[in-house]
């Protein structure tokens, strides 16, 4: 969910199909439930605070490790933020970088309840 998670993901080949997806979300509770459900997620905050990425710092970090022998291209990046400009920015970067970006904003749109532990199975 934070910067250390991304570093680990980029250094590790995904094991199995469901581990190939990294959900990029702007809701911490939903990110936590995604991780607890066995998938991978990164929380993108409004600003880079040294612990969590903002959209812009995430893209900067991804650009800085391009072509350095990472596992970047082994993943599918699912933009699932509630803000359109964040999703557009992620997909634009993925296209420019030759990475597999998937539009997933509709998965969590108006479903903040999915951030509650009781709804983890959904």
């Amino acid at each position: 969910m934070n910067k250390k998670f991304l570093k680990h993901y980029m250094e590790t080949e995904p094991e199995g199909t469901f581990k190939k997806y990294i959900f990029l979300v702007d809701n911490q509770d939903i990110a936590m439930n995604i991780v607890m459900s066995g998938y991978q997620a990164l929380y993108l905050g409004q600003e880079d605070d040294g612990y969590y990425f903002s959209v812009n710092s995430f893209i900067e970090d991804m650009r800085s490790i391009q072509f350095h022998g990472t596992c970047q291209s082994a993943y599918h990046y699912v933009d699932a933020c509630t803000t359109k400009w964040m999703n557009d920015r992620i997909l634009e970067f993925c296209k420019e970088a030759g990475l597999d970006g998937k539009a997933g904003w509709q998965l969590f749109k108006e479903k903040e309840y999915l951030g509650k532990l009781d709804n983890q199975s959904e």
Side-chain angles (χ1 to χ4, degrees), residues 47-112:
E47 295 181 21
D48 181 359
D49 65 4
Y51 191 67
Y52 294 110
F53 288 108
S54 67
V55 171
N56 293 329
S57 66
F58 167 74
I59 291 170
E60 288 171 20
D61 198 71
M62 292 291 283
R63 282 190 177 131
S64 74
I65 62 173
Q66 253 181 324
F67 312 116
H68 287 93
T70 64
C71 299
Q72 262 185 332
S73 61
Y75 291 95
H76 307 285
Y77 301 90
V78 182
D79 68 340
C81 297
T82 57
T83 310
K84 183 180 180 337
W85 74 265
M86 292 173 82
N87 293 322
D88 291 346
R89 188 92 168 83
I90 293 166
L91 286 180
E92 178 184 319
F93 163 71
C94 287
K95 184 177 178 183
E96 290 171 1
L99 300 173
D100 187 26
K102 307 255 185 231
W105 58 269
Q106 66 276 19
L107 295 172
F108 304 110
K109 183 179 180 187
E110 298 175 9
K111 296 180 184 173
E112 288 78 18

